[in-house]
Amino acid sequence: MSRIRQTLCYWAFNRPEIPFLKLCAEARRIGYEGLEMVPEDHWEIAKFQKLRIVTHVGQSSLTEGLNRTEHHARLEGELRANIDKAAANDIPVLICFSGNRRGISDAEGLANTVAGLKRVAGYAEEKNVTLALELLNSRVDHKDYQCDHTAWGAEVIRQVGSMRVRLLYDVYHMQIMEGDLIRTMTANLEAIGHVHVGGNPGRNDPDSTQEINYRAVMKTLAASTYFGYVGQEFIPKSNPVAALEEAFKTCDIG
């Protein structure tokens, strides 16, 4: 049995040539345990296909996030409502965002993000749902996003001090921002609650044409205390089913 529990992110494989039922069937055949960021009207279909919905996005905006206090009241309402949805549908992880800097310092943004997450951490604990603050690159895909380095995100997690508030460590994004992936992940394992995979450059298949050694990264995770999911979040260069199969094999560590 594989040590790495794999999922796939719906948005990257939502294509006309692979209807949702076919995607579910192929995912199950390959060995994926669940799906991520699936539209709510697909949840019952996925569950019927014996695939767990593993993540849901907890906020309505990526750019207007937890790092500004003027958003906190709105975000508390959104996150509480989505925590309820997640708990009712056996969804273990809600994805959260710091938002863009828009001129505020990293110190101020960090303090505000901590305060925002503390407003809902207790409720997440009560409902057994993990809030995962996502690390994104601010160089290529998400200009000005504040939670763009592991150290900043890990300090948020430390200051919130809840077992139900963790980082979503996206390997693609962090390769762009800082590299040194294995050392950084190992040093921050206690802060990481979810992992995403994508090839760099291009966010395509995690194959031999890109620069990340995913076998080594997954072996490190498999040998560690990390028992969360690893989600395939890449844009396939050609046949999506073949790409999912190869990506699964790359990350499949016994």
Side-chain angles (χ1 to χ4, degrees):
M1 185 175 180
S2 178
R3 171 65 177 80
I4 302 297
R5 304 164 68 198
Q6 295 192 57
T7 62
L8 65 91
C9 295
Y10 171 80
W11 73 264
F13 302 94
N14 176 27
R15 296 172 174 232
E17 67 268 30
I18 180 166
F20 188 64
L21 278 174
K22 178 175 173 58
L23 179 64
C24 289
E26 295 291 357
R28 209 172 55 248
R29 175 187 64 80
I30 293 167
Y32 287 96
E33 294 188 24
L35 308 174
E36 299 192 38
M37 295 176 277
V38 175
E40 291 183 41
D41 60 0
H42 287 21
W43 286 1
E44 290 304 318
I45 299 171
K47 286 188 276 186
F48 185 76
Q49 295 295 315
K50 295 182 170 50
L51 288 167
R52 188 180 194 183
I53 305 298
V54 171
T55 66
H56 183 53
V57 177
Q59 299 174 210
S60 60
S61 174
L62 185 154
T63 58
E64 296 181 347
L66 290 154
N67 62 344
R68 304 190 79 95
T69 56
E70 60 263 35
H71 303 318
H72 283 183
R74 170 181 59 81
L75 288 172
E76 181 176 2
E78 290 178 3
L79 288 168
R80 283 178 176 267
N82 282 313
I83 287 168
D84 286 339
K85 284 183 185 178
N89 290 277
D90 189 35
I91 301 172
V93 177
L94 273 186
I95 300 173
C96 306
F97 306 107
S98 69
N100 288 4
R101 289 179 173 85
R102 292 180 178 166
I104 66 171
S105 69
D106 279 355
E108 182 183 359
L110 191 150
N112 291 344
T113 301
V114 169
L117 286 168
K118 281 186 173 182
R119 292 173 69 138
V120 290
Y123 195 59
E125 291 168 6
E126 180 185 328
K127 297 291 186 175
N128 294 318
V129 173
T130 296
L131 303 175
L133 179 64
E134 184 157 18
L135 291 158
L136 299 172
N137 83 76
S138 60
R139 290 180 56 201
V140 178
D141 301 291
H142 302 283
K143 301 288 188 179
D144 201 44
Y145 185 76
Q146 190 145 47
C147 186
D148 62 352
H149 281 81
T150 308
W152 192 94
E155 182 60 18
V156 169
I157 304 311
R158 188 190 71 77
Q159 290 192 27
V160 174
S162 169
M163 289 297 293
R164 287 297 177 182
V165 179
R166 289 289 180 263
L167 287 178
L168 195 172
Y169 188 95
D170 190 303
V171 182
Y172 159 77
H173 288 296
M174 290 301 96
Q175 171 68 2
I176 290 171
M177 293 305 298
E178 56 193 24
D180 200 18
L181 298 169
I182 290 174
R183 192 195 323 267
T184 303
M185 293 179 78
T186 301
N188 293 281
L189 273 174
E190 289 187 2
I192 297 172
H194 197 69
V195 173
H196 277 168
V197 164
N200 187 58
R203 198 174 196 156
N204 298 125
D205 312 40
D207 58 19
S208 61
T209 67
Q210 52 86 52
E211 66 189 13
I212 303 170
N213 183 347
Y214 271 110
R215 290 296 290 177
V217 171
M218 291 302 130
K219 284 180 180 179
T220 298
L221 277 183
S224 77
T225 57
Y226 179 78
F227 284 92
Y229 291 93
V230 171
Q232 300 287 355
E233 191 182 25
F234 65 89
I235 301 165
K237 291 179 289 188
S238 55
N239 183 288
V241 173
L244 278 170
E245 194 149 18
E246 287 306 306
F248 186 91
K249 291 175 184 176
T250 295
C251 297
D252 187 26
I253 305 296

